[in-house]
Amino acid sequence: NAGVTQTPKFRILKIGQSMTLQCTQDMNHNYMYWYRQDPGMGLKLIYYSVGAGITDKGEVPNGYNVSRSTTEDFPLRLELAAPSQTSVYFCASSPAGTAGNTIYFGEGSWLTVV
Amino acid sequence: QQQVKQSPQSLIVQKGGIPIINCAYENTAFDYFPWYQQFPGKGPALLIAIRPDVSEKKEGRFTISFNKSAKQFSLHIMDSQPGDSATYFCAARSSGSARQLTFGSGTQLTVLP
């Protein structure tokens, strides 16, 4: 079972370029999230979605955009990349309802902006 | 701003030792406190979690102690092994939220053989 799949695994961007980090989950989870992880800083929430067509900002949304056209997919768009966006990005998902407290993470996408 | 403060930043113990990682929170609306384990190059994975109506929870060699009045919780790893070497994150979630977690800054644990 695939779980949460992120692509690409590694990417180098030049300042000002744009790109999309892809995320798909095969667990039929309603909730999906994008976090970024910087050394010694834990994980910070960028955007989240509670279902198809619904997205909302997290703690650090500036410079990013998301969309949720299907339950499975939650791509993260970086516009006009800046060195401050060099980070490891994690997509995650969680089922809705009282049965689902666990958030499942993908394996991460390492992004370097030069 | 919701915050979860985690300490220490790094920890080195001998095999068989009992590392303890501490977290403190401010928001009394938090109702779920998980610990995540992360190995290099991998995403975080849920290790153990507790709700504030319980003071302690054990799963195998891992124990969470929870002090609601002090707004603190900690992870204890009994009989630690080199395979436990990883980064550990505490986290907290508010009731009524879309299940998003607020994470601590992480503790890098090294267990020496």
Side-chain angles (χ1 to χ4, degrees):
Chain A
N1 38 349
V4 179
T5 303
Q6 296 180 230
T7 56
K9 184 81 169 180
F10 302 97
R11 182 73 185 267
I12 298 175
L13 272 182
K14 294 184 178 179
I15 294 171
Q17 287 185 322
S18 300
M19 75 160 297
T20 299
L21 298 176
Q22 301 292 342
C23 176
T24 187
Q25 52 94 6
D26 62 359
M27 297 174 283
N28 200 33
H29 287 170
N30 289 73
Y31 300 150
M32 295 190 74
Y33 317 87
W34 274 105
Y35 285 89
R36 60 176 287 172
Q37 183 177 23
D38 300 304
M41 299 294 290
L43 289 91
K44 303 292 186 184
L45 182 66
I46 304 171
Y47 270 95
Y48 67 96
S49 169
V50 300
I54 305 170
T55 63
D56 209 345
K57 296 178 181 179
E59 186 180 356
V60 289
N62 291 342
Y64 307 95
N65 275 301
V66 293
S67 60
R68 185 95 182 270
S69 57
T70 67
T71 299
E72 296 77 19
D73 300 310
F74 191 41
L76 178 71
R77 178 81 177 165
L78 282 73
E79 304 282 0
L80 299 174
S84 61
Q85 293 178 301
T86 295
S87 188
V88 184
Y89 292 85
F90 289 98
C91 181
S93 71
S94 174
T98 56
N101 285 320
T102 301
I103 292 182
Y104 299 85
F105 285 83
E107 295 209 331
S109 297
W110 273 253
L111 176 66
T112 301
V113 181
V114 296
Chain B
Q1 176 171 339
Q2 299 177 348
Q3 282 190 337
V4 177
K5 296 182 180 180
Q6 183 173 347
S7 64
Q9 187 173 8
S10 63
L11 188 55
I12 300 174
V13 300
Q14 294 286 340
K15 178 182 175 182
I18 306 175
I20 300 173
I21 304 170
N22 300 298
C23 286
Y25 63 97
E26 300 171 355
N27 188 347
T28 55
F30 287 145
D31 69 347
Y32 172 70
F33 301 88
W35 285 89
Y36 278 78
Q37 180 187 54
Q38 184 181 32
F39 293 105
K42 300 295 184 181
L46 179 65
L47 183 64
I48 186 173
I50 197 168
R51 292 191 179 276
D53 54 349
V54 176
S55 62
E56 185 177 277
K57 184 174 182 180
K58 291 183 180 180
E59 287 187 4
R61 297 184 292 107
F62 300 91
T63 299
I64 300 178
S65 298
F66 189 86
N67 185 331
K68 187 174 181 179
S69 61
K71 293 187 286 185
Q72 295 175 347
F73 59 110
S74 60
L75 176 69
H76 301 232
I77 306 175
M78 308 301 289
D79 186 28
S80 59
Q81 302 296 313
D84 296 329
S85 297
T87 300
Y88 293 82
F89 293 95
C90 62
R93 188 200 74 189
S94 298
S95 58
S97 66
R99 303 189 181 281
Q100 64 264 36
L101 295 171
T102 299
F103 282 87
S105 56
T107 296
Q108 187 169 353
L109 172 66
T110 302
V111 181
L112 301 174

